[in-house]
């Protein structure tokens, strides 16, 4: 039903739409672009999440309309007029509990952003089919839904539990090694645990960004008059309004918050202006009205050409070479002369979009007295955010507090600041709360991606298959700004030889600046690119020698006391590599004997930053007078479960009831140093919380005071440090072996077996979920995912989630996880970490399985079956 109402004093008619929302009659403005906007922005119903509106490709906003599950960002208000809309807020409490219990018990969620939509879809199917609902049918019905974290395995377990009417046994929070329910699992499953964009503050305005139309151009002028003239617009800010520093960055301060007049754009994600308005619709419409005068320059998009070009690609930089990482051991040329078999092969990997389901959102709120700023962020490094925001605004660090709001996935893509600076600038200058939330297309433009890397490998071995020499040259396209690109290529170089002993090695890896999308941190962080190549040449070498994939790996696997890669003498922690191989051997033998096409991959990935960086983190345990216990730590919860780890460590060390623990992350205490990256959250976070608990016990758990604990890793050495023959590049490594099985008749992957050494599984269920999600991501990386950019413009060619090639639930094969616990000496509880190693071996294993299937070697990702350019 549609009716007209007169806005008082406005002198105009406002069309409104009436329907019933969760049993209550409502009336909303008709100018909303879709139902989701009306629900979230006007009715403040926030369980439906906005992951991609208006494209309808993630399923996070699924609701019931007249009893049918629909994607609300694809549903017009006209279609719901006079009807009934039901979201999870309106579902009967017993039904809500049934689903939240199942997802909590099965570990069927990580970041949780996608789960409310999936719960609605699941309820629609369970209500229709009950116990007759088949798992494979439910997977097909999840085709409209995207989950980037779980790999769908435990999601389907949870739905199956509800369909079968099973009441789960929910364990109490236990200590180390328990399968405790994820912290806030129930709230996340139902959409009750808010993300940044779910926060509502009185008087809040909305900001939208105006992005460049050219990846490389001089900005001649910025005209914001048309935007300012639009009704509902409060202000427009440009770089000229920044009171402090223009540049931000994690390592190098080379990333401009906005490009000023007279400055130069360097990639498609550069921002030129911020529009602030009364609502999001107005802000985004006004941002389109800003007019920019450019002097357009030809973008530099080929990294090999950029190295040798006299033109500088990126504004305010001096060279197109961002970094060079190199090291040598032994006499490589002499060793090659002694080799019985030699393989030379070029490999290339693609740029990848993280596709975390929650687009970046920031809310900045000034204090009442106008002297402080409180920023709600979902970033991976809130201390870095705080420091850069303070510098941007010309404030002291003490005047800015950044509070972490559990985010909807990150995978490295939220390390760099995105819109935190813009929301903070607008809020500070206007002295009102301002929220800035990116659309999916804006997110694609702005944040850093996975590096595409070209690698040339030459490897040689003796007649028995023992590796004698390895020569590697690599060039990575790091895009415009530094981010952590130099560290990704440094990590690629360090991990170039995989988990194997190589007595003679020569490696060089160059990170290059171009006008392509910025590349930075992404799960695997250079190790997966390197080990796709290393596993590839090792399998080719095995064929020459006449060995199978398992045997050549077992013959060369790194062992304690051996010298690895850049010269590090490995400790007993490296036993995990051989133990993973041994764990997977029975499945490997069975698959071979049954005639399946199989491929094996073995990988290692460091945990922590290493390379000479002093890693220090702190935690606080605070007993409150009301009996509750605060555990404060310095890490971003993004689905991996660091809050659950902190909770379980406190239970282990203090013997308390886990339900009394509140886990908090903000910058009111100096607890953090660096980003939540490199699988170091569990390793270092557990160490710091353990130390804080020990301090609390020593003080008899005194109430009302902060009990501080600290954990540090300050004994590593920088890669290529002069005069250091055996550097300790990293303190800790995780290891994994994966086997991919292909059905010879269909050519489809039917099974992935993943044996992963995590050192100690703090929570086995969460570890399994991390690995299943990693395998899902690794399969997409290997087979279908890509994020190409136009070589003529530097702009991304992908604009929607579906165009990324991410595998949906129906496409995911069976995944069997085997947890291996080979303790790391000198780490808390023997922990090694699990988040990044999960996809390091996958692409290599897929390539080997495909070769076993059709006899074609592949050297380029993604390995699309119909891509003849992939053949050697």
């Amino acid at each position: 039903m549609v009716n007209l109402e007169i806005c008082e004093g406005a002198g105009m008619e406002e069309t409104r739409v009436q329907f019933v929302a969760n049993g209550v009659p409502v009336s909303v403005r008709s100018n909303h672009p879709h139902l989701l906007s009306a629900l979230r922005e006007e009715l403040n119903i926030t369980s439906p999440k906005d992951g991609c509106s208006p494209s309808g490709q993630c399923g996070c906003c699924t609701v019931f309309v007249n009893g049918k599950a629909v994607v609300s960002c694809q549903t017009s208000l006209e279609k719901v007029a006079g009807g009934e809309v039901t979201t999870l807020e309106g579902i009967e409490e017993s039904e809500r509990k049934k689903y939240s219990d199942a997802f909590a018990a099965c570990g069927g969620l990580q970041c949780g952003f996608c789960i409310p939509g999936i719960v609605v879809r699941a309820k629609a199917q369970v209500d229709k089919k009950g116990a007759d609902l088949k798992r494979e049918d439910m997977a097909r019905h999840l085709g409209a839904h995207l989950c980037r974290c779980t790999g769908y395995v435990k999601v389907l377990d949870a739905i199956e539990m509800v369909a079968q009417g099973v009441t789960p046994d929910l364990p109490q929070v236990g200590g180390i090694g328990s399968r405790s329910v994820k912290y806030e699992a129930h709230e996340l499953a139902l959409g009750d645990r808010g993300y940044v964009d779910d926060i509502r503050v009185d008087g809040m305005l909305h900001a939208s960004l105006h992005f460049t139309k050219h990846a490389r151009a001089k900005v001649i002028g910025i005209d914001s008059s048309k935007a300012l003239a639009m009704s509902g617009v409060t202000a427009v800010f440009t770089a000229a309004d920044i009171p402090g520093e223009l540049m931000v960055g994690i390592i190098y301060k080379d990333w401009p918050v906005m490009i000023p007049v007279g400055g130069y754009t360097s990639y498609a994600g550069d921002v030129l202006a911020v529009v602030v308005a009364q609502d999001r619709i107005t802000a985004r419409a006004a941002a389109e009205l800003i007019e920019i005068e450019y002097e357009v320059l030809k973008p530099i998009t080929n990294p090999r050409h950029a190295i040798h070009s006299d033109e500088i690609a990126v504004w305010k930089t001096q060279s197109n070479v961002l970094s060079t990482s190199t090291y040598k051991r032994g006499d490589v040329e002499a060793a090659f002369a002694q080799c019985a078999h030699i393989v030379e092969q070029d490999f290339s990997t693609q740029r990848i979009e993280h596709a975390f389901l929650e687009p970046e959102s920031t809310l900045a709120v000034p204090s009442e007295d106008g002297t402080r700023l409180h920023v709600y962020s979902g970033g991976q490094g809130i201390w870095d955010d705080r420091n850069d925001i303070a510098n941007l605004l010309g404030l002291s660090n003490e005047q800015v507090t950044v509070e972490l709001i559990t985010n909807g996935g990150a995978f490295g893509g939220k390390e760099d600041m995105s819109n935190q600076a813009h929301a903070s600038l607008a809020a500070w200058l206007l002295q009102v709360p301002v929220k800035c939330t990116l659309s999916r297309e804006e997110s694609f433009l702005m944040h850093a991606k996975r590096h595409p890397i070209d690698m040339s490998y030459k490897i040689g071995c003796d007649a028995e298959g023992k590796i004698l020499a390895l020569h590697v040259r690599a060039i990575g396209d790091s895009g415009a700004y530094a981010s952590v690109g130099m560290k990704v290529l440094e990590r690629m170089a360090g991990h170039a030889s995989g988990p194997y002993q190589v007595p003679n090695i020569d490696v060089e890896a160059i990170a290059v600046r171009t006008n392509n999308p910025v590349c930075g941190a992404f799960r695997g962080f250079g190790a997966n690119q390197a080990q796709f190549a290393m596993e590839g040449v090792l399998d080719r070498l095995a064929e020459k020698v006449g060995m199978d994939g398992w045997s050549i790996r077992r013959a060369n696997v790194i062992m304690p006391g051996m010298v690895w890669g850049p010269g590090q003498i490995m400790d007993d922690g490296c036993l995990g590599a051989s133990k993973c191989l041994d764990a997977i051997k029975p499945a490997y033998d069975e698959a071979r004997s049954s005639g399946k096409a199989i491929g094996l991959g073995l990988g290692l990935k460091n945990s922590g930053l290493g390379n000479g960086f002093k890693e220090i983190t702190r935690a606080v345990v605070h007993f409150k007078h009301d009996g509750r216990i605060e555990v404060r730590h310095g890490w971003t919860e993004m689905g991996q479960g660091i809050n659950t780890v902190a909770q379980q460590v406190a239970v282990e060390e203090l013997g308390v009831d886990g339900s009394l623990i509140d886990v908090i992350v903000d910058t009111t205490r100096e607890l953090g140093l660096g980003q939540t990256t490199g699988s170091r959250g569990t390793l270092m976070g557990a160490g710091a919380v353990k130390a804080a608990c020990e301090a609390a016990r020593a003080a008899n758990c005194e109430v009302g005071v902060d009990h501080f604990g600290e954990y540090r890793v300050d004994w590593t050495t920088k890669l290529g440090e002069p005069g250091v023959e055996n550097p300790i590049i990293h303190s800790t490594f995780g290891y994994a072996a994966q086997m991919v099985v292909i059905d010879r008749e269909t050519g489809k992957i039917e099974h992935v077996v993943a044996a992963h050494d995590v050192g100690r599984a703090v929570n086995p269920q969460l570890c399994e979920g991390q690995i299943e999600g990693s395998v899902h991501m690794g399969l997409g990386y290997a087979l279908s995912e890509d994020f190409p950019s136009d070589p003529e413009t530097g702009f991304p060619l992908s604009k929607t989630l579906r165009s990324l090639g991410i595998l949906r639930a129906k496409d995911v094969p069976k995944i069997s996880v085997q947890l291996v616990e080979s303790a790391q000496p000198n780490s808390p509880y023997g922990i090694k970490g699990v988040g990044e190693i999960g996809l390091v071996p996958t692409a290599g294993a897929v390539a080997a399985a495909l070769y076993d299937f059709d006899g074609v070697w592949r050297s380029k990702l993604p390995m699309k079956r119909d891509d003849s350019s992939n053949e050697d």
Side-chain angles (χ1 to χ4, degrees):
M1 177 169 43
V2 180
N3 73 320
L4 295 178
E5 299 176 2
I6 302 298
C7 295
E8 268 187 54
M12 60 177 289
E13 291 183 340
E14 181 185 68
T15 307
R16 300 186 69 83
V17 178
Q18 295 180 350
F19 57 91
V20 175
N22 295 328
V24 178
V26 297
S27 174
V28 299
R29 299 186 305 273
S30 64
N31 67 334
H32 291 284
H34 39 66
L35 172 60
L36 177 63
S37 174
L39 292 174
R40 291 184 56 84
E41 303 308 320
E42 189 168 349
L43 300 177
N44 291 325
I45 296 173
T46 59
S47 71
K49 308 303 180 186
D50 187 349
C52 69
S53 71
S55 68
Q57 296 181 4
C58 73
C60 296
C61 66
T62 303
V63 301
F64 289 107
V65 174
N66 298 325
K68 182 180 179 181
V70 302
V71 176
S72 61
C73 79
Q74 288 269 288
T75 303
S76 68
L77 287 179
E78 183 181 3
K79 290 182 179 179
V80 301
E84 292 193 21
V85 176
T86 306
T87 69
L88 288 182
E89 288 91 340
I91 301 296
E92 186 179 339
E93 191 56 39
S94 61
E95 280 285 285
R96 285 165 52 86
K97 186 176 188 302
K98 184 191 305 182
Y99 281 92
S100 66
D101 280 355
F103 275 83
C106 293
L109 75 166
Q110 291 182 29
C111 81
F113 195 84
C114 66
I115 300 302
I118 288 175
V119 168
V120 171
R121 184 75 60 183
K123 177 172 168 51
Q125 291 302 310
V126 171
D127 287 352
K128 183 178 180 180
K129 298 180 181 178
D132 292 331
L133 179 61
K134 295 180 180 180
R135 188 182 182 98
E136 57 270 26
D137 289 340
M138 190 64 234
R140 181 171 50 81
H141 286 295
L142 288 180
H145 295 260
L146 188 63
C147 176
R148 196 61 160 157
C149 296
T150 67
Y152 301 102
V153 177
K154 289 177 169 45
V155 168
L156 291 168
D157 289 345
I159 297 170
E160 197 168 36
M161 177 178 283
V162 175
Q164 297 300 317
V166 176
T167 301
D169 180 22
L170 294 172
Q172 296 295 313
V173 179
I176 301 299
S178 68
R179 297 177 73 89
S180 298
V181 168
K182 181 180 175 65
Y183 185 76
E184 297 184 326
H186 289 83
E187 297 90 337
L188 287 165
L190 298 172
D192 295 341
R193 173 60 167 90
Y195 302 87
V196 175
D197 195 36
D198 296 331
I199 301 173
R200 305 291 186 264
V201 177
D202 289 342
M204 181 177 74
L205 301 179
H206 293 264
S208 184
L209 309 181
H210 182 91
F211 290 86
T212 181
K213 297 294 189 291
H214 303 281
R216 185 169 179 246
K218 184 177 182 179
V219 178
I220 304 300
I222 301 175
D223 184 354
S224 59
S225 59
K226 291 182 180 178
L228 285 167
M230 187 172 179
S231 176
V233 171
T234 303
V236 176
F237 298 114
T238 66
D241 297 299
I242 295 174
E245 298 294 329
L246 175 67
M247 299 290 194
V248 298
I250 298 174
I251 299 175
Y252 298 155
K253 303 300 180 187
D254 67 340
W255 198 326
V257 172
M258 287 186 278
I259 307 299
V261 172
Y264 292 78
T265 65
S266 299
Y267 88 120
D270 274 327
V271 177
L272 294 156
V274 183
V275 175
V276 184
Q278 298 297 316
D279 57 60
R280 185 172 300 175
I281 296 171
T282 303
R284 286 181 172 170
E288 293 297 317
L289 297 179
I290 292 176
E291 297 177 346
I292 311 294
E293 182 182 354
Y294 300 96
E295 178 186 321
V296 180
L297 304 174
K298 183 174 177 57
I300 300 171
T301 59
N302 185 310
R304 294 185 182 274
H305 294 169
I307 291 175
H308 303 292
S309 175
D310 293 331
E311 292 187 85
I312 299 298
V314 180
W315 184 48
K316 286 187 174 292
T317 63
Q318 304 301 313
S319 172
N320 291 338
V321 175
L322 175 62
S323 67
T324 301
S325 300
T326 183
Y327 62 91
K328 295 180 181 180
R329 278 193 301 108
D331 188 335
V332 172
E333 290 306 315
F336 276 126
Q338 301 299 316
C339 290
H341 304 284
I342 292 176
V343 168
E344 295 186 66
Q345 183 63 50
D346 293 339
F347 295 85
S348 64
T349 65
Q350 76 280 43
R351 185 182 298 106
I352 291 285
E353 157 64 29
H354 299 75
F356 37 74
L357 268 293
E358 177 209 23
E360 299 88 333
S361 184
T362 302
L363 170 63
V365 183
S367 61
E368 290 186 6
D369 63 4
T371 62
R372 296 179 54 82
L373 188 67
H374 194 103
V375 182
Y376 299 91
S377 172
Q380 289 183 240
I382 59 172
W383 277 267
D384 288 339
D385 292 354
R386 178 202 60 185
N387 297 346
D388 272 344
I389 290 168
N391 289 336
L392 171 85
L393 300 179
L395 304 176
S396 67
N397 286 349
E398 291 71 27
Q399 290 177 272
V400 179
T401 296
V402 179
E403 179 179 344
L404 171 74
I405 303 300
T406 299
N407 73 36
F411 314 109
K414 293 178 180 176
E415 287 191 21
D416 302 282
M417 282 211 305
S418 57
N419 56 11
Q420 290 96 326
H422 308 91
S424 298
L425 176 68
W428 184 253
L429 294 179
L430 294 171
Q431 284 297 303
V432 296
V434 175
K435 181 192 288 181
C436 183
T437 301
L438 300 185
S439 69
R440 178 58 61 180
E441 188 171 344
E442 290 169 341
S443 177
F444 280 2
L445 288 174
M446 199 170 194
H447 71 254
K449 316 300 176 194
R450 185 188 298 286
H451 281 75
I453 303 180
D454 291 335
M455 298 164 287
S456 295
Y457 267 62
K458 180 179 179 181
I459 190 171
C461 69
D462 64 18
E464 285 71 46
K466 290 288 288 185
I467 299 170
L468 299 181
L470 179 67
H471 182 275
V472 177
R473 292 294 181 267
I475 295 176
D477 182 353
S478 213
Y481 303 122
S483 181
V484 291
M486 69 291 284
K487 293 298 179 182
V488 173
L489 270 293
E490 180 183 69
R491 196 78 78 251
M492 179 267 147
H495 286 65
S497 59
Y500 306 109
Q501 184 187 32
V502 180
N504 302 281
I505 187 169
D506 182 346
V507 176
E508 179 186 80
I510 302 172
V512 184
R513 292 184 189 264
T514 68
N515 298 119
N516 291 321
V518 175
C519 290
F522 196 158
R523 186 184 229 167
F525 205 88
N528 47 312
Q529 290 99 320
Q531 287 168 78
F532 167 60
M534 182 64 189
E535 294 297 281
V537 292
L538 194 61
D539 281 322
R540 289 160 173 80
L541 208 57
E543 184 177 61
K544 286 178 175 288
V545 178
M547 300 175 75
D548 63 59
W550 188 92
S551 298
I552 197 166
R553 286 166 174 80
R554 197 64 175 82
N556 289 284
V557 69
I558 197 75
M559 297 294 285
M562 289 182 175
V563 178
W564 168 78
Q568 181 164 343
I569 299 174
M570 301 298 271
D571 60 24
D572 286 352
C574 78
L575 286 169
S578 58
K579 288 183 177 180
C580 286
L581 279 175
D582 293 344
I584 213 166
K585 184 64 158 58
Y588 180 83
D589 288 343
E590 181 181 352
R592 286 191 75 200
S593 64
S594 66
K596 300 288 186 181
I598 60 173
L600 183 65
L602 182 67
L604 88 164
K605 174 65 178 66
N606 68 292
S607 294
L609 302 179
N611 282 289
F613 189 82
K614 290 186 177 181
E615 300 182 71
I616 304 169
T617 189
R618 302 178 184 91
V620 163
V621 171
H622 188 106
F623 294 85
K624 301 180 71 175
H625 291 282
D626 63 3
R628 297 200 65 78
I629 305 164
E630 287 183 355
V631 176
R632 293 175 173 267
H633 63 80
W635 305 97
T636 293
E637 174 60 69
M638 47 194 168
Q640 84 280 36
I642 183 58
N643 286 343
T644 312
V645 169
Q647 186 184 37
Q648 288 186 227
V649 171
V651 170
E652 177 81 13
E653 297 296 327
L654 299 175
V656 297
D657 180 351
S659 66
L660 298 175
I661 295 172
D662 298 313
V663 183
I664 300 169
V665 183
D666 64 29
T667 61
T668 57
R669 294 158 174 81
E670 293 293 328
L671 303 180
L673 183 64
Q675 301 280 321
T676 303
T677 186
S679 295
R680 69 193 195 113
T682 297
L683 169 70
M684 300 197 68
V689 174
K690 182 176 185 290
C693 291
E694 291 168 350
R697 291 202 311 268
N700 296 316
C701 298
E702 183 179 350
V703 175
V705 301
D706 286 349
H707 303 283
F708 278 87
E710 180 179 283
Y711 184 77
R712 60 173 57 213
V713 176
D714 55 5
W715 62 84
T716 63
T717 314
K718 183 174 175 57
L719 181 71
E721 187 77 23
V724 181
E725 183 178 354
N726 297 115
I728 301 174
I729 303 299
H730 299 291
S731 68
T732 309
F733 295 87
Y735 301 88
Q738 291 181 7
M739 180 181 68
V740 170
V741 181
I742 293 179
D743 184 287
R744 289 196 183 274
E745 291 190 7
T746 66
K748 292 183 178 180
I749 296 175
E750 64 178 24
H751 194 190
V752 178
V753 181
H756 283 243
D757 169 35
V758 301
R760 178 75 186 278
V762 176
N763 185 313
Q765 181 167 261
L766 297 192
C767 279
E768 292 164 2
Q770 282 281 294
I771 295 165
E772 289 159 355
S774 295
V775 169
H776 167 251
M777 188 176 282
L779 290 172
Y781 180 53
L783 292 169
S784 55
E785 290 189 40
D786 202 357
F787 192 77
S789 59
D790 187 333
E792 295 300 316
T793 67
F795 271 65
L797 294 173
S798 297
K799 296 185 178 182
T800 64
L801 287 170
R802 192 166 294 280
S803 68
L804 301 179
I806 298 170
L807 301 181
R808 300 282 169 153
K810 64 181 178 60
D811 304 314
V812 180
K814 178 183 177 182
I815 302 171
S816 300
V817 175
Q818 301 175 14
L819 291 181
V820 176
E821 295 183 292
S822 180
Q824 174 63 39
N826 302 319
S827 82
Y829 311 111
I831 289 169
K832 290 178 177 176
V834 66
E836 290 200 279
I837 180 62
L839 54 62
V840 171
T842 315
V846 171
L850 287 171
Y851 177 73
D852 193 12
F853 172 71
D854 62 13
V856 177
W857 287 119
R858 288 150 174 95
S859 56
K860 178 183 177 183
L861 297 183
M863 295 179 282
K864 297 175 182 176
R865 292 288 302 280
D866 58 352
D867 185 359
S868 61
S869 68
N870 216 325
E871 300 177 10
D872 290 359

